[in-house]
Amino acid sequence: MRNNPPKIITYLANLPLNLLLYATLIVPFALMIYLAFLAWNPAAGINWWEAPFTGVNNFIRALSDSRFIAALGRTAAFVVIVVTIEFFLGLALAYFMLEEFKGKKISLSLIIYPLMLPWVVVALIFYLFFQDYGPMNNVFLKLIIGESAQNIHWFLSSTTAFISLIIADVWQWTPFIFLVMYSGLSAVSKRLIEAAQVLGASSRTIFWRIQLPLIKPLVLIAVVLRALEAFKVFDIAYVMTGGGPGTSTETISLYIYRVAIEYHDISYAAALSLIVLIILVIIIRSFIWYSFERGVKR
Amino acid sequence: MNHKIISKFTRYLVIIIFLSWILIPVLWMVTLAFKSYPEWRVAYFFPKEPTFMNFILIFEPKQIVGMMGATALVDPVTLPFINSLLVVGASTVLSVIIGFFTAYGASRYNSPGPFSLFFTLLTRMLPPATFVTPIMVYYSNLKLLDSHLGLIMLYSAVTVTYGIWILKGFIDQVPIEWEQAALLEGASHLQVVFRVTLPIVKSGLVVSGLFIFLLNWAELLFALVLTNVQAVTLPVHISKYVGAVGQLYGPQAALGILSSLIPVIIGYIIQKHLVTAFTFGMVR
């Protein structure tokens, strides 16, 4: 059956996907490449097919656009910081959750439920959480610093506003890293661990020398997927800080959104998108090569 | 023995700290939703006189203006809620159906070329902001802006990849001998697909459908750009509530609860499959 598929079946199997992809995504992707080389602003009252070409002007403008470079750097910093924190928190939590104990089942369900909440709701939760009378000032800061803690106006200074975004992201996504590591670690064969115990290895040695190396490929996948997801960061910045104060928490997604929607500079937004896309496609392609294809060729 | 008790104690301590870190922000939102206007800016958690006023206000917001320092008229949540159900429901069904066909072809005949598979994976990994601009231009030429159809098509296109990968995992586990046996009995190829394979992977359809529902329910950016009045979804409504209307903490919290009810129920049902789903089946 595998050797001789009837043509009609393979054709039917692919038709719906291709129709959908061409109708909604592939045509716009082609359009984006075209738009990026135009000088078009819909406010001028002409259609995009009537707009003049400007060659690579949009791209040159992007390279000297300090707001764009700053947003790109800020987003990259955000990705590195949140992924690092989430990695170590997730790892520690997976280590502590591994053995059986009373209340494990309920703890597991509670730990992973931030993953299911809509990102806007997470943004809303932390928008309320960081208000002057919210629990960040009144519970956590007082626990850490003591009763003398002053209320911090989290969204009014650029550093604390950025930190509040990091905290919201870490809150929602540490469970993801935890979940991948936890399911990887609990799949490691019990016999292997027992054998090591018989040979006299301590539980710490077993964790670092046996369990962790075995789940390394899983951890790599989780970290890369998380990093790509973190790079998208839009919802929490849009809802919690609005990119502010000033443009100090503006992420790359938020900046492109603003150029396109608020400044109506469509062709420039298309050029910015293309630059980001090319960077990301190179990263994703090399990840796919590194994790799937490298092994095949070896 | 002593060492064991200490490690047990540390474990409970770490887990309790982490759980309270997860729960306190949510608890704050939940209790805030039941606080009356004078209590929105207080530092304690539990309202002295719990009220449902905030939930009524998000459905009938006219009274907010003037009374509670709101600066603009807000729309009731009814239309966005219905839109979300409609758009997300329809796009989920569409992506599961298309995902099933593609996954079947991929599993049995290796059929969709690497380009389609890479492309669907890519659109899921790239930031939506990087391709929403041309979609907006394209939709405005097709008169699809602010329409349910436009959102449904886009939502299913960007989540179909989960349908493909999750369902491919399920279909791979159906023994090919069963299909061959049915063919020998005289069934046609189409009958094999619909009468043999489809019923077996029913639970896969449910898992992928619920997961895709979860993702589309949360989607903000596409809806923000592509809708305006008619097709506004719940996340867009929430972002408007926070941005434009000022410090209506109580109703905002109520909105948050309203829009997390469905995801929390779905999440509880599919929690065993979450890892597989989030990682495109790369991690099982």
Side-chain angles (χ1 to χ4, degrees), chain A residues 91 185 206-216 219:
Chain A
L91 182 67
L185 286 174
I206 293 176
F207 183 73
W208 288 108
R209 294 287 176 79
I210 299 177
Q211 288 168 299
L212 211 52
L214 276 174
I215 62 161
K216 210 177 125 195
V219 174

Side-chain angles (χ1 to χ4, degrees), chain A residues 22-57:
Chain A
Y22 277 95
T24 56
L25 291 173
I26 293 177
V27 174
F29 264 90
L31 180 62
M32 170 158 67
I33 298 172
Y34 184 76
L35 286 175
F37 294 95
L38 300 179
W40 180 55
N41 189 325
I46 52 170
N47 288 313
W48 55 269
W49 55 85
E50 297 158 352
F53 276 98
T54 57
V56 292
N57 277 359

Side-chain angles (χ1 to χ4, degrees), chain A residues 2-296:
Chain A
R2 198 180 281 275
N3 317 330
N4 190 17
K7 275 248 160 58
I8 180 78
I9 297 268
T10 40
Y11 183 71
L12 277 179
N14 291 320
L15 181 70
L17 178 72
N18 287 332
L19 271 182
L20 183 73
L21 285 186
Y22 277 95
T24 56
L25 291 173
I26 293 177
V27 174
F29 264 90
L31 180 62
M32 170 158 67
I33 298 172
Y34 184 76
L35 286 175
F37 294 95
L38 300 179
W40 180 55
N41 189 325
I46 52 170
N47 288 313
W48 55 269
W49 55 85
E50 297 158 352
F53 276 98
T54 57
V56 292
N57 277 359
N58 285 326
F59 295 92
I60 294 168
R61 187 178 149 203
L63 293 180
S64 54
D65 181 349
S66 61
R67 208 170 147 191
F68 172 63
I69 308 286
L72 207 54
R74 190 178 299 120
T75 312
F78 178 83
V79 171
V80 172
I81 294 170
V82 296
V83 173
T84 313
I85 298 175
E86 284 159 16
F87 176 81
F88 285 109
L89 276 183
L91 182 67
L93 198 60
Y95 175 76
F96 281 111
M97 287 288 289
L98 208 52
E99 276 170 57
E100 290 301 320
F101 60 91
K102 229 181 218 161
K104 180 171 172 173
K105 227 176 164 188
I106 178 104
S107 313
L108 260 179
S109 328
L110 285 176
I111 286 174
I112 59 174
Y113 91 98
L115 283 176
M116 301 146 191
L117 294 181
W119 300 288
V120 198
V121 173
V122 174
L124 184 62
I125 288 175
F126 280 89
Y127 173 78
L128 299 168
F129 184 76
F130 283 111
Q131 293 300 335
D132 290 359
Y133 292 97
M136 189 64 198
N137 281 330
N138 286 295
V139 178
F140 288 99
L141 278 189
K142 285 202 172 132
L143 272 178
I144 297 166
I145 307 175
E147 278 303 314
S148 60
Q150 299 265 310
N151 274 0
I152 296 179
H153 304 292
W154 284 87
F155 300 131
L156 292 185
S157 113
S158 45
T159 324
T160 51
F162 194 62
I163 292 174
S164 70
L165 296 185
I166 290 172
I167 290 177
D169 194 89
V170 167
W171 184 85
Q172 192 181 17
W173 292 104
T174 301
F176 169 70
I177 303 275
F178 158 75
L179 197 58
V180 174
M181 290 199 187
Y182 173 78
S183 45
L185 286 174
S186 33
V188 171
S189 136
K190 289 273 184 307
R191 281 190 188 173
L192 209 61
I193 295 164
E194 278 161 17
Q197 277 166 343
V198 168
L199 292 175
S202 69
S203 63
R204 195 167 296 160
T205 319
I206 293 176
F207 183 73
W208 288 108
R209 294 287 176 79
I210 299 177
Q211 288 168 299
L212 211 52
L214 276 174
I215 62 161
K216 210 177 125 195
L218 290 191
V219 174
L220 182 76
I221 291 174
V223 165
V224 173
L225 288 180
R226 183 70 270 278
L228 287 168
E229 200 68 34
F231 195 84
K232 294 178 183 175
V233 55
F234 174 83
D235 301 25
I236 52 173
Y238 182 78
V239 172
M240 284 169 65
T241 65
T247 58
S248 61
T249 56
E250 197 172 60
T251 64
I252 190 67
S253 292
L254 191 53
Y255 181 55
I256 294 178
Y257 167 81
R258 285 198 167 144
V259 170
I261 307 303
E262 285 169 20
Y263 311 148
H264 304 292
D265 205 343
I266 306 279
S267 50
Y268 185 48
L272 294 181
S273 302
L274 266 188
I275 296 174
V276 176
L277 277 182
I278 290 166
I279 297 174
L280 284 177
V281 167
I282 292 172
I283 294 173
I284 295 171
R285 198 69 194 87
S286 45
F287 161 63
I288 292 179
W289 175 81
Y290 183 83
S291 55
F292 298 118
E293 291 164 17
R294 191 180 52 137
V296 178

Side-chain angles (χ1 to χ4, degrees), chain B residues 11 16-17 19 23 26 66 81-82 116 118 123 128 158 162 168 180 236 254:
Chain B
R11 168 166 39 241
I16 287 170
I17 290 175
L19 281 182
L23 290 176
V26 179
F81 193 78
I82 294 170
S116 297
F118 178 66
T123 50
V158 292
Y162 286 104
K168 184 171 177 298
Q180 284 163 340
V236 180

